Amino acid sequence: MRTILVATAIICAIGLGSCSDESRPTGPTPREVGVIVAKPEPLVQGGAVTGEVRARVQTDLSFRVSGKIIERLVEVGQSVKAGQLLARIDPEEQKADLDVAAANLQSAEAQQTQAQLAYDRQQSLFRTQVTTRAALDQAQEALLTAQASTKSAQALLETAQDTLSYTELKADADGMITARNAEVGQVAQAAQVVFTLAHDGDRDAVFEVVESAFLRPIDGDGTVTLLSDPTQKIAAKVREISPTIDSSTGTIKVKVAISSDAPIPLGAPVVGRFNYVSQDVIQLPWSAMTSKDGKPAVWIVDPASSAVSVRAVDVAGYETGSFIVKAGVSEGEVVVADGTKFLRPGEIVSYVKEASK
């Protein structure tokens, strides 16, 4: 009886040992991670910049002669017509110069008349052989000199008349006065800006933006909206991008054409929106980013062995919830999107499912 019980115990012990060996795991359980298959997708990017509305053509008006301003006839914001008088400087000096030029002309004309009579007389005497050829030539020379003096005096008179007209500053086109830089009583120098005139017609939305904003080509036309009324959108087209950077602000000037029919007043603050030409890029969620030697990196899964490895990447840009990979990841590669914190190079992982970006 004792022999049977011992045998039974040995068999049970062997059986239990056998069952324990079969249930014991052969290695650690692979870590479960979420992955995403890298594939290029079209990316449409854009931006918004703020600026103001300006006239397409804008001129600085100034006197062409120096003098004391004695009258100013327009205010900032006032509409004017071409040829309308805007301001006047004291014309006394120019009137005096005109009187002198007129007197010189009268004197020259009198001398010319006298020289003409002397020449005619010498011609008559020469025909009757009473005078010499030398005397006739001398009279002719005096007449030509007098005629030249008359022409010179006439030109000086016209110049004096023009100079007198320059004491009046007139608008060169229809438009609106947007700036005034001189007051009555001030001595204005020649070419000193007195008024700025915004011509009627087409207008531009002018923006000061960083250079990188327009390094990529723009896709079609953009839109311009008033800050005071964002619901009002007006189609606009980039007309001019400055080739130089403003050294004081570090920005470039961009002009966007606006139709003259657009109900946007001059100087109004506006927001311009535009889109870049779409391009195929690989976008990954923020959760896929890790670091390698202080640089951005991602975990790549080897589909054959399910082992992971960390790889540095070049990031082209950051979007809301994702980043754009410029280099380091190829199409079709499996990237760990979730569960990257505790991974080690060469570790075996199991896929949960493709993570959404």
Side-chain angles (χ1 to χ4, degrees), residues 246-296:
D246 189 333
S247 58
S248 60
T249 61
T251 59
I252 60 174
K253 182 175 295 184
V254 178
K255 295 182 179 180
V256 178
I258 301 176
S259 171
S260 58
D261 298 332
I264 299 182
L266 289 174
V270 293
V271 177
R273 291 180 172 82
F274 57 91
N275 291 324
Y276 297 118
V277 175
S278 63
Q279 56 182 352
D280 290 340
V281 297
I282 294 177
Q283 276 186 281
L284 299 175
W286 285 353
S287 58
M289 181 175 288
T290 186
S291 176
K292 180 180 181 181
D293 299 330
K295 298 181 180 179

Side-chain angles (χ1 to χ4, degrees), residues 46-49 207 218 220-227 230 233-234 236 256 270-275:
V49 290
F207 304 97
I218 304 300
D221 299 342
T223 59
V224 171
T225 59
L226 281 169
L227 278 177
K233 295 183 179 180
I234 299 173
V256 178
V270 293
V271 177
R273 291 180 172 82
F274 57 91
N275 291 324

Side-chain angles (χ1 to χ4, degrees), residues 6-52:
V6 172
T8 303
I10 293 173
I11 293 172
C12 290
I14 294 173
L16 290 173
S18 172
C19 292
S20 177
D21 292 340
E22 291 180 359
S23 62
R24 184 180 303 165
T26 58
T29 304
R31 189 188 306 276
E32 294 183 350
V33 295
V35 299
I36 186 170
V37 178
K39 59 180 179 180
E41 294 182 351
L43 173 66
V44 178
Q45 289 180 305
V49 290
T50 57
E52 65 174 344

